[in-house]
Amino acid sequence: MATITDFKKSDHLLTLKVLKLTQPQLAPPFIVTCDSKDLPGKLFNTHVKENITTVMDNETVGPSQFMLLPQSIRNIYLGETFSCYICVNNKSQQVVQSVTLKVELQTTRLGKMTLCVPGKDIQPKTLEPKDTLDFVVQHEVKDIDTHSLICEVNYVAIINGVSTPLTLQDYFVFNVLKPLDLKTKFYTAESDEVYIEAQVQNITSGPVSLENVSLEASPEFKVTVLNSTDDGESVFGRINSLPQNASRQYLYSLAPNPVQPKTNTASTSLGNLNFVWRSEMGEKGRLRTSELHKPVTDLPDLRLSVQELPNLVYIDEPFQFKIKLTNASLKPMELSLYLENLSDMSWIGVSGRKFGTLESKSEIILPLSLVPLGTGLQTISGIRIKDSLTKKNVFENDNLAQVYVLQRQPTAA
């Protein structure tokens, strides 16, 4: 009885072929032109017009009307769907029984994934001479690594008058590349609001269309997209095309979600960025980043922010503004407000006054008054806040805000 080890690949009764399925490309015309007064005259222009790939009345710009078959295997990019056509052909003159096909995709990190299960995806088949068994494999690639497509064909043939089970195995290797390069920057405000700047660069071999770029925020945050105008139009224009090696900046604002309970962790998951893009011929790819994390920052225990402040004030006329104090620590504070003298402004109020206990994770709004003594752009400073329990200054700021001071014009009698 013949065994599998007795057979070489060329001795098998069946052949196995794998064809990668890919989209054709637009055939660009080969443009060589010159001024009619030059030595070639109208020769180059005539040649361009006679080229079959040239668009009539548009000989120098625009895509062609004709498709060009791929001259080489196009790169596979992460998030795209890998498609291939597998053909098992009976090249012998005898009937082959119980032909089954098993297809697996193997990577170093993810291991083996079965794409075609014998008896489930394809039922055992009997192949007459010159008959074929066809199967199309489609799989969304999710790993930047060398991929091995392992194809195994099992069948029963008559060898030396005896029914013998045989196995034909072959594998095909292809690489998966990264289509987009992503760089992120984080800006954290004192109000716990986080701004994310995502710079996306097209590193494929041609232009792509970014069909959708979105930030899927974690439940602790509420996301605001800052990539459109007040009319709802995209800031990138109506033509959504990103040329090769070009970049775009997407901006998002994340504010703490008041519905979710606050956490005391220094680093919090912000969510994931999702990309849906299409190649030049419309092939779709999908990407999802790993979790983005809020950078660890040493935030002060007491935070101060300006709530209300007029833009214009007048010299020698008092004006009022409001500040909000937030106790971000885990302990209560006994706070006292101290006001230092300013050269171009004068405080109205008592320095050193106490305003009670501010509990942990609580806030209070305080009204303050100033009298401007000089014109021009003036800086509000000189605010000192001390905690009586720790006897330390928990807030000092000499550049809190700015107001513009004008001289009021006298009214006509």
Side-chain angles (χ1 to χ4, degrees), residues 152-165:
E152 180 180 290
V153 179
N154 292 281
Y155 64 99
V156 177
I158 305 298
I159 306 297
N160 298 326
V162 180
S163 295
T164 305

Side-chain angles (χ1 to χ4, degrees), residues 241-366:
S241 179
L242 187 63
Q244 182 183 10
N245 295 325
S247 299
R248 280 184 184 175
Q249 280 78 25
Y250 291 85
L251 188 62
Y252 302 92
S253 172
L254 292 175
N257 194 343
V259 180
Q260 295 291 327
K262 294 183 179 180
T263 60
N264 296 326
T265 55
S267 179
T268 307
S269 174
L270 300 176
N272 307 83
L273 280 168
N274 296 313
F275 300 90
V276 178
W277 57 279
R278 291 185 181 273
S279 65
E280 186 178 7
M281 296 306 299
E283 295 174 293
K284 180 182 287 188
R286 298 186 300 175
L287 288 178
R288 179 183 173 89
T289 65
S290 56
E291 284 192 349
L292 304 175
H293 288 274
K294 180 181 177 181
V296 179
T297 55
D298 295 329
L299 297 177
D301 293 335
L302 183 68
R303 303 179 192 175
L304 186 150
S305 60
V306 178
Q307 293 296 105
E308 295 180 10
L309 179 67
N311 293 326
L312 295 175
V313 295
Y314 296 95
I315 190 171
D316 296 331
E317 295 183 14
F319 70 92
Q320 188 179 79
F321 66 99
K322 295 180 181 180
I323 61 174
K324 181 175 73 172
L325 299 177
T326 303
N327 183 1
S329 68
L330 302 178
K331 298 179 181 180
M333 295 181 179
E334 291 284 348
L335 300 179
S336 300
L337 175 65
Y338 293 85
L339 304 173
E340 295 186 352
N341 293 327
L342 306 177
S343 59
D344 294 317
M345 288 190 180
S346 178
W347 290 102
I348 300 177
V350 179
S351 179
R353 64 187 174 102
K354 298 180 180 180
F355 46 88
T357 302
L358 185 61
E359 299 294 338
S360 174
K361 307 302 178 183
S362 299
E363 59 187 34
I364 185 175
I365 295 179
L366 299 177

Side-chain angles (χ1 to χ4, degrees), residues 209-210 227 229 232-242 248:
S209 173
L210 293 176
N227 304 312
T229 63
E233 297 290 335
S234 173
V235 296
F236 305 111
R238 298 179 61 183
I239 300 177
N240 186 16
S241 179
L242 187 63
R248 280 184 184 175

Side-chain angles (χ1 to χ4, degrees), residues 12-158:
H12 277 281
L13 306 181
L14 305 179
T15 59
L16 175 65
K17 294 184 179 180
V18 176
L19 176 66
K20 180 181 176 297
L21 302 178
T22 185
Q23 296 282 355
Q25 296 177 343
L26 294 174
F30 183 74
I31 300 174
V32 179
T33 184
C34 67
D35 191 271
S36 58
K37 297 181 180 179
D38 290 340
L39 183 62
K42 298 181 179 180
L43 178 63
F44 290 157
N45 295 337
T46 302
H47 175 74
V48 170
K49 292 181 179 181
E50 292 176 352
N51 191 337
I52 192 173
T53 62
T54 303
V55 180
M56 293 300 297
D57 300 324
N58 195 17
E59 288 80 11
T60 57
V61 294
S64 169
Q65 302 178 16
F66 293 88
M67 309 300 291
L68 179 67
L69 292 177
Q71 304 301 305
S72 61
I73 297 178
R74 192 182 70 84
N75 294 328
I76 300 294
Y77 294 102
L78 181 67
E80 284 188 326
T81 299
F82 169 75
S83 301
C84 70
Y85 165 70
I86 301 176
C87 179
V88 181
N89 178 40
N90 183 6
K91 65 179 180 179
S92 68
Q93 299 300 318
Q94 64 171 284
V95 178
V96 179
Q97 305 287 335
S98 302
V99 181
T100 61
L101 174 65
K102 181 180 180 180
V103 182
E104 293 179 323
L105 190 64
Q106 182 177 9
T107 64
T108 304
R109 189 175 67 89
L110 300 179
K112 286 186 178 181
M113 296 163 285
T114 303
L115 305 182
C116 178
V117 180
K120 180 181 178 182
D121 299 316
I122 293 184
Q123 299 297 325
K125 184 178 181 181
T126 298
L127 294 184
E128 300 288 339
K130 309 303 180 182
D131 201 357
T132 61
L133 172 65
D134 307 298
F135 189 73
V136 175
V137 170
Q138 289 187 326
H139 175 73
E140 183 180 338
V141 290
K142 301 179 180 180
D143 192 20
I144 301 178
D145 195 3
T146 300
H147 289 59
S148 298
L149 187 71
I150 305 172
C151 301
E152 180 180 290
V153 179
N154 292 281
Y155 64 99
V156 177
I158 305 298

